[in-house]
Amino acid sequence: MPNVVVVGAQWGDEGKGKVVDLYAGQADGVVRFQGGNNAGHTLVVEGQKIILHLIPSGILHPGTVCCIGNGVVVDPRVLLEEIEGLRQSGRWPGDDHLVVSPSAHVILPCHRALDLAREARAGRRQIGTTGRGIGPCYEDKASRRGIRVADLLDPSGLRIKIEALLDEKNALLEHLGAAPLDPAEVVDELVAAGDRLRPFVGDVTDRVNAWTREGRRVLFEGAQGTLLDIDHGTYPFVTSSNTTAGAVCTGTGLPPRDIHAVIGITKAYTTRVGRGPFPTELRDELGDRLREQGGEFGSTTGRPRRCGWLDLVSLRTACRLNGLTALAVTKLDVLQGLREVRVCTAYRLDGRTIDHVPARAEDLERCEPVYETLPGWEDGIGEARRPQDLPSNARRYLEYVERATGCPVILASVGPDREQTVEFRGPFELADR
């Protein structure tokens, strides 16, 4: 009964989309369990770049059913645009391949407006949100005033709820200097979206548990990364949901006993987008080189990502928080051609050496990385397909990461294309053990 969870082990943007797409060919179902369209999973299939924000990456496999769980916040406009985009590209497998939980909460126009207005008001104190309304939507969910996908299918009840919600939201928007919203226009937009989404709405919890009983192979796809978890990340520079493996249970209804393996995705170096502490950040030509070579620009916002050496302190934290079974290392090719590469093994804080991530972002901001230097490797790594094809120093680098984290590396990505992958072991092989 192999259920495999794939989570980001850094600050997001680790390449989860490519790994899930690769593994989805072996799965019966792929389930997204948290976050919203602030995520952006970039896939390159047969030279064609495809960016998904809400639909799980497994949608590109005709034999795989994809689910959006109750823990996800759904912007109906974005979801419908993605469906239409896949149809136009000829890659839509059919309406029966997507199931959306009726319990998933809906991102409303007022959520997006509030997100943007708050960031504009904050000035230099901005957190660096994507402006997609994710946080305000989760706020309404927690305060028990949210609108769920099921509500879109009941126009009369929806109207009452929207009018009550906008009575408060419009006052807040005006206070922040933004224009209020017309309740009637919002309801009309949501009802129209509900009519188009109706064929996809179904009980994801029931389906996931049925798959488990039947012994189906299921992948659970996370968004963002461990260090952006609202409870365990570098607060307040975090996202608005739990990004760690435990969120699978609350975000889909899968019991904890039915998680059989957890794979963490990490780049061979580290990136971060937006504001927040980043001990290994390179603010020099080498950082620029990593950004250009790695195409480090956000697939959701287009913002340039901050780049730095691999941070093993935070990676060990991710292994512990998620109970990682294994690691998949992406963008190993971006480091090719460097004479030497560095890894952060500890931090120096106020004259002390520490081996953990401080709870306060202010303390992490003051941490200085303690580095170990390793030999680099030559160009041409993108042609590797088997472990023995990798340069010896690249293999030693992966072995070093294994020893430092206690997690085996089961995959190395050596280029953006689906085929540019070196696989040591399969994900369901781990789960079947």
Side-chain angles (χ1 to χ4, degrees):
M1 301 185 298
N3 289 326
V4 175
V5 180
V6 175
V7 294
Q10 297 171 306
W11 276 292
D13 308 310
E14 301 96 346
K16 294 180 293 297
K18 174 180 174 174
V19 176
V20 171
D21 170 59
L22 184 71
Y23 288 161
Q26 308 169 41
D28 298 295
V30 179
V31 186
R32 172 84 180 272
F33 59 88
Q34 51 77 219
N37 58 298
N38 52 339
H41 292 169
T42 302
L43 316 172
V44 180
V45 181
E46 298 173 351
Q48 181 183 12
K49 180 184 286 188
I50 299 168
I51 300 176
L52 299 173
H53 300 280
L54 280 169
I55 298 176
S57 307
I59 200 69
L60 301 182
H61 294 269
T64 303
V65 176
C66 291
C67 298
I68 296 176
N70 58 276
V72 180
V73 289
V74 177
D75 187 324
R77 298 188 309 175
V78 173
L79 181 54
L80 289 167
E81 286 172 3
E82 282 192 19
I83 293 170
E84 185 58 30
L86 288 168
R87 282 198 175 112
Q88 292 294 327
S89 69
R91 294 191 176 274
W92 181 246
D95 290 0
D96 57 342
H97 284 67
L98 178 65
V99 184
V100 182
S101 171
S103 300
H105 278 250
V106 175
I107 297 173
L108 306 172
C110 61
H111 294 144
R112 296 189 296 271
L114 275 172
D115 210 353
L116 294 170
R118 285 171 174 168
E119 283 286 87
R121 185 73 168 261
R124 289 190 299 174
R125 294 179 290 106
Q126 291 181 3
I127 293 174
T129 75
T130 59
R132 301 301 196 265
I134 312 298
C137 183
Y138 276 116
E139 287 175 27
D140 282 347
K141 175 179 180 177
S143 63
R144 302 176 295 270
R145 293 175 296 177
I147 302 298
R148 303 196 296 176
V149 169
D151 294 318
L152 303 185
L153 311 183
D154 174 24
S156 58
L158 177 64
R159 189 173 302 277
I160 295 170
K161 292 179 179 180
I162 289 294
E163 288 175 351
L165 187 65
L166 286 185
D167 184 56
E168 177 189 275
K169 301 300 182 188
N170 277 339
L172 184 53
L173 284 170
E174 290 183 286
H175 171 72
L176 293 171
L181 301 174
D182 182 346
E185 291 181 4
V186 172
V187 171
D188 288 345
E189 176 186 330
L190 294 175
V191 169
D195 286 341
R196 294 177 61 190
L197 289 175
R198 189 181 299 271
F200 305 105
V201 179
D203 193 327
V204 170
T205 298
D206 183 66
R207 185 176 291 248
V208 163
N209 283 280
W211 279 340
T212 299
R213 290 193 303 271
E214 296 164 4
R216 304 285 188 94
R217 291 182 164 190
V218 186
L219 278 174
F220 293 85
E221 176 184 25
Q224 290 86 41
T226 296
L227 299 177
L228 293 176
D229 186 281
I230 184 117
D231 287 306
H232 302 289
T234 50
Y235 191 90
F237 302 99
V238 294
T239 193
S240 303
S241 62
N242 289 111
T243 60
T244 45
V248 168
C249 302
T250 54
T252 67
L254 181 77
R257 67 171 181 268
D258 290 330
I259 295 176
H260 305 118
V262 184
I263 299 172
I265 315 301
T266 174
K267 285 175 182 168
Y269 50 100
T270 307
T271 64
R272 177 163 202 169
V273 69
R275 300 189 63 192
F278 184 0
T280 66
E281 182 174 8
L282 294 168
R283 299 181 177 90
D284 55 15
E285 291 182 3
L286 183 53
D288 294 338
R289 178 192 184 279
L290 293 177
R291 185 178 304 109
E292 292 300 323
Q293 292 286 108
E296 297 295 355
F297 300 89
S299 52
T300 297
T301 63
R303 291 181 293 180
R305 296 178 186 136
R306 300 151 64 191
C307 299
W309 294 118
L310 182 63
D311 186 339
L312 290 173
V313 180
S314 62
L315 188 55
R316 285 193 295 264
T317 298
C319 291
R320 173 175 54 82
L321 290 173
N322 293 291
L324 293 185
T325 311
L327 289 169
V329 178
T330 61
K331 297 200 174 183
L332 191 61
D333 55 300
V334 177
L335 296 182
Q336 67 184 350
L338 295 177
R339 187 172 59 85
E340 58 184 30
V341 294
R342 305 178 82 186
V343 292
C344 170
T345 58
Y347 300 147
R348 292 283 294 173
L349 176 62
D350 298 333
R352 297 179 297 113
T353 300
I354 61 174
D355 61 359
H356 65 276
V357 179
R360 294 191 340 130
E362 294 87 346
D363 292 334
L364 184 59
E365 190 73 63
R366 293 187 293 113
C367 283
E368 297 179 1
V370 176
Y371 285 119
E372 183 163 338
T373 301
L374 304 173
W377 51 89
E378 61 270 21
D379 294 341
I381 194 174
E383 302 302 316
R385 298 294 180 269
R386 302 170 301 166
Q388 57 267 38
D389 296 336
L390 291 171
S392 58
N393 283 344
R395 292 200 303 273
R396 292 190 185 101
Y397 185 78
L398 297 177
E399 290 165 0
Y400 184 96
V401 172
E402 287 185 328
R403 291 194 302 272
T405 61
C407 278
V409 173
I410 63 168
L411 177 148
S413 173
V414 294
D417 285 333
R418 180 190 283 171
E419 295 77 18
Q420 290 181 294
T421 305
V422 176
E423 195 168 4
F424 297 82
R425 290 159 69 187
F428 294 106
E429 177 187 346
L430 293 171
D432 285 334
R433 294 179 63 189

